[in-house]
Amino acid sequence: MSLKREAPPTAGLPLRAADLLPTSGSDLGAALARFLQVPAVQVTCSGTAALVVALKALHARAPQRREVVLPAYTCPLVAMAVAHCRLTVRLCDLQPGGIDLCPAALTALCGPRTLAVLPTHLGGRVADAAPARALAHAAGAWVVEDAAQALGARVGGHCIGTGSDVVFFSLAVGKGLTLFEGGALVVADPTLREDCRRIAREIAPFRLGWELRRSLELLGYAALYRPDGLRWVYGRSLRRALARGDLVEAAGDDFGPGIALHAVGRWRQAVGVQALARLPAWLASGTEQARERAARLRAIAGLAVLGDSPTVCGARGVWPVLLLLLPDRARRDAALQALWGAGVGAGLPFVHALPDYARYRALLTQAAEDPLPNSRDFAGRVLSLGNSPWLHEAQFDAICAVLRRCCA
Ligand SMILES: *Cc1c(COP(=O)(O)O)cnc(C)c1O
């Protein structure tokens, strides 16, 4: 496969030159609130920062509750946010072959020490948050939906996360709409919402150095997020990491120790406002492409394509990626061997279930012998395929051929 063009690992919304000379205001929170049809959106410097703010606000309300329940297969930044707040990570196994939290495991985890439960809409897929709501609320805890990868997903005509206490989105590079790094926080209760705004003012003030750095990074994204630019800023370092056998770096799971906390400046917000105007059409065409491609992938014997949770009524997720499940780890690894680094946007969402990263072990206090069988099975069988329009039909055909051979 040609490496002149590099398909991105996710369907990030490209910027246009006109976005960089914004004319339509800089209140990204208000623009996102209109887009999501929610009363208010708080813009933060990352999805992780949004979670830190929410957890701090909740913990202030219930200081005796220190445990935060996460899916055992999720972004390591989520565990870092919990640890940053000096709270305790409790890992919940997934349902077999999916991203929903296992209700039996969740029942065992929820109690008087639980602060929050985080159902996670991995890869834009709508997970079923209802069991988490029932169990968490019965235990006096809150539900924070992690929709970092699901900006624009709807459930029954409402913004994803409606009915839960908090939902947050990521505006990081590669997650759809981007400020290079950014986040969006939606809080149902107005008093809690005000608490979150106050906490953000305290812990995440404007910092000129960070804003200059992120602004330059956003300019770099605008310039190089193109099929012929991605090779330089993404493909080359990916292939170098793969050549070294460093899968954690290849997947972008190699996070530094600290969490940056600062406000988002007006220029970057204004760029976001401009780009947001194109997001609905972008998501719609992504959905159409994903529907066609998922149907072709599902025709491959042994291959599963993750859909929205079948127990959620009126779920309409978004499609930054197609998440595939191969029959077993050996076949998944064979497919990865052929596709990862081949410039077609294939890879892993995250390399491991959280306890299996050596570098994040200190974040977890849970006994390492917890089997978490479904999360580990998922980590071993999943493969992510970017749903960018830059992935041409010929490349997609070639991917299907590899998957057919690997699943046979
Ligand atoms: C990326 C991601 C986050 C963190 O968002 P950032 O904006 O990168 O801080 C949290 N949860 C999930 C599932 C993610 O994919």
Side-chain angles (χ1 to χ4, degrees), residues 99 119-129 145-150 153 155 160-161 167:
I99 58 165
T120 300
H121 306 287
L122 198 67
R125 303 283 41 78
V126 174
D128 190 354
E145 295 194 30
D146 179 346
Q149 303 184 8
V155 175
I160 197 161
V167 54

Side-chain angles (χ1 to χ4, degrees), residues 46-48 74-75 77-78 120 146 148-149 168 170 172 175 181-182 350:
S46 67
T48 308
T74 189
C75 180
L77 287 170
V78 176
T120 300
D146 179 346
Q149 303 184 8
F168 71 93
S170 170
K175 305 220 190 180
E181 291 281 1
F350 311 112

Side-chain angles (χ1 to χ4, degrees), residues 96-307:
I99 58 165
D100 286 337
L101 295 170
C102 167
L106 193 54
T107 305
L109 285 165
C110 284
R113 287 195 296 271
T114 310
L115 179 68
V117 177
L118 269 75
T120 300
H121 306 287
L122 198 67
R125 303 283 41 78
V126 174
D128 190 354
R133 267 178 228 145
L135 290 164
H137 290 167
W142 287 275
V143 175
V144 177
E145 295 194 30
D146 179 346
Q149 303 184 8
L151 181 70
R154 318 264 314 161
V155 175
H158 299 285
C159 175
I160 197 161
T162 303
S164 288
D165 304 290
V166 175
V167 54
F168 71 93
F169 303 93
S170 170
L171 307 177
V173 64
K175 305 220 190 180
L177 178 70
T178 189
L179 312 179
F180 202 84
E181 291 281 1
L185 182 61
V186 179
V187 181
D189 173 51
T191 316
L192 188 65
R193 197 184 301 153
E194 275 316 304
D195 292 348
C196 287
R197 290 199 189 273
R198 179 179 43 76
I199 288 168
R201 281 194 297 273
E202 284 164 16
I203 68 171
F206 185 78
R207 299 186 206 276
L208 184 62
W210 273 111
E211 194 54 33
L212 286 174
R213 174 175 166 179
R214 293 298 187 229
S215 297
L216 286 173
E217 288 169 329
L218 187 59
L219 284 170
Y221 174 85
L224 291 166
Y225 190 76
R226 303 188 318 242
D228 56 351
L230 266 175
R231 171 164 60 131
W232 304 106
V233 283
Y234 167 71
R236 282 198 329 168
S237 53
L238 166 64
R239 283 179 278 281
R240 242 185 271 127
L242 288 173
R244 279 198 310 276
D246 188 341
L247 304 191
V248 171
E249 190 188 318
D253 288 354
D254 53 332
F255 302 108
I259 295 176
L261 291 169
H262 53 92
V264 176
R266 291 168 55 123
W267 178 73
R268 280 201 299 145
Q269 290 202 43
V271 173
V273 172
Q274 299 266 130
L276 179 60
R278 294 193 304 280
L279 188 65
W282 176 260
L283 294 177
S285 64
T287 298
E288 194 162 315
Q289 173 171 285
R291 199 169 287 147
E292 284 164 18
R293 292 188 169 174
R296 289 179 56 195
L297 291 163
R298 286 193 176 108
I300 298 173
L303 190 67
V305 182
L306 236 66

Side-chain angles (χ1 to χ4, degrees), residues 85-106:
C85 297
R86 299 175 192 279
L87 298 167
T88 304
V89 173
R90 301 295 309 273
L91 296 178
C92 182
D93 204 8
L94 301 174
Q95 296 254 55
I99 58 165
D100 286 337
L101 295 170
C102 167
L106 193 54

